[in-house]
Amino acid sequence: AMRKGKKASKLFSIFKPIPQLLVNISVKDKSIISSKKCKLAIKKAEKIIFGKGRLLVRKSGTEPKIRIMCESFNPSLVNKCISLIKKTIH
């Protein structure tokens, strides 16, 4: 498309980055995210963010940490979701 004379600024203006927050929580046992309490918190957070953003909770592959990533144009939703899950891990 650029060869046809379209400006890069026009082509890339289609992409709008979504604000993202990544929180790493140090834990003794990474299997804590399999606990019933944590699974319920994750499901609740997924319901809160559904259709308005994205949530990912996973174990670190290299460190004793749980990683919580949430993204949305609504920062209060992001903070609410992360806080909800974080409470079950600490």
Side-chain angles (χ1 to χ4, degrees):
M2 289 177 66
R3 288 183 197 165
K4 294 183 181 183
K6 294 196 179 194
K7 292 184 177 185
S9 60
K10 292 290 182 187
L11 293 172
F12 296 114
S13 67
I14 296 168
F15 174 73
K16 292 184 181 178
I18 299 173
Q20 183 182 90
L21 181 61
L22 174 65
V23 175
N24 295 306
I25 304 168
S26 295
V27 293
K28 291 180 184 174
D29 183 9
K30 294 189 281 187
S31 66
I32 193 163
I33 66 169
S34 299
S35 72
K36 187 176 182 178
K37 188 177 178 182
C38 194
K39 283 183 177 182
L40 287 172
I42 292 169
K43 282 187 180 190
K44 188 174 180 180
E46 285 174 339
K47 284 181 183 179
I48 291 169
I49 202 80
F50 183 77
K52 300 171 194 126
R54 187 169 72 118
L55 175 70
L56 176 68
V57 181
R58 68 178 186 87
K59 300 174 191 176
S60 168
T62 57
E63 299 176 285
K65 293 183 179 185
I66 302 296
R67 304 191 192 283
I68 306 170
M69 186 281 300
C70 191
E71 60 185 21
S72 174
F73 287 112
N74 185 334
S76 65
L77 275 182
V78 169
N79 291 329
K80 185 175 184 178
C81 290
I82 289 177
S83 177
L84 182 68
I85 297 165
K86 198 174 170 182
K87 287 178 189 175
T88 66
I89 295 173
H90 274 263

